[in-house]
């Protein structure tokens, strides 16, 4: 018997990014990247965006502090954390320009990759690494 057969299949439901102000982060992603906001919790500690089957959400650092001992690590001013959000765009150059104009820091200008994909990197005003990529 294959061991994998005994493992229940899971699916990715949410990607949650911890920030100081979830509502502001959600509004920024709506305005800058055209994502559709679903809701902001009344406490202001959580905001969720519709992105297809998997949701993108923002949670307050204080929420992380209450969920488990030690909470989550904040990104450093010099280096993004070890996770990135990848947003797919037909026109990566336009998405990159819009992101930088909206307040993102440019990390890597749009360039063509060997797999035929066009990719750029920015860091949003909340410290999150964002990849802007054409479809694979």
């Amino acid at each position: 018997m294959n061991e994998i057969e005994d493992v229940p299949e899971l699916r990715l439901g949410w990607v949650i990014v911890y920030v100081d102000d979830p509502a502001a982060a959600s509004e920024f992603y709506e305005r800058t990247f055209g994502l559709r906001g679903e809701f902001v919790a009344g406490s202001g500690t959580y905001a969720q965006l519709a992105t297809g089957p998997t949701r993108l959400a923002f949670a307050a650092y204080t929420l992380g502090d209450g969920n488990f001992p030690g909470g989550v690590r904040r990104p450093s001013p010099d280096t993004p954390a070890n996770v990135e959000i990848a947003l797919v765009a037909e026109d990566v150059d336009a998405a990159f320009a819009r992101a930088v104009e909206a307040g993102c820091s440019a990390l890597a200008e749009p360039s063509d990759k060997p797999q035929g994909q066009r990719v750029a990197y920015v860091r949003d005003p909340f410290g999150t690494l964002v990849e802007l990529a054409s479809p694979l």
Side-chain angles (χ1 to χ4, degrees):
M1 176 182 246
N2 185 344
E3 288 181 32
I4 294 177
E5 292 174 13
D6 294 333
V7 177
E9 182 178 336
L10 301 176
R11 62 182 175 82
L12 183 61
W14 297 268
V15 172
I16 300 173
V17 178
Y18 285 86
V19 297
D20 286 315
D21 188 341
S26 180
E27 192 278 326
F28 179 83
Y29 275 70
E30 288 179 58
R31 183 180 72 250
T32 305
F33 301 115
L35 300 179
R36 184 177 51 82
E38 286 189 327
F39 71 91
V40 175
S43 63
T45 60
Y46 184 87
Q48 183 169 294
L49 296 148
T51 58
T54 301
R55 301 297 193 249
L56 173 60
F58 297 97
Y61 287 110
T62 56
L63 190 60
D65 293 341
N67 286 341
F68 45 86
V72 298
R73 179 177 49 95
R74 294 172 185 254
S76 79
D78 300 321
T79 307
N82 65 339
V83 174
E84 73 180 52
I85 296 171
L87 299 175
V88 178
E90 293 297 329
D91 187 344
V92 171
D93 294 74
F96 178 80
R98 187 172 59 247
V100 171
E101 182 179 311
C104 290
S105 301
L107 299 179
E109 300 271 333
S111 64
D112 295 323
K113 300 298 181 185
Q115 69 271 21
Q117 193 177 32
R118 190 152 179 81
V119 175
Y121 291 90
V122 297
R123 191 168 184 192
D124 75 16
F126 310 94
T128 307
L129 177 61
V130 180
E131 176 185 353
L132 304 168
S134 61
L136 269 174

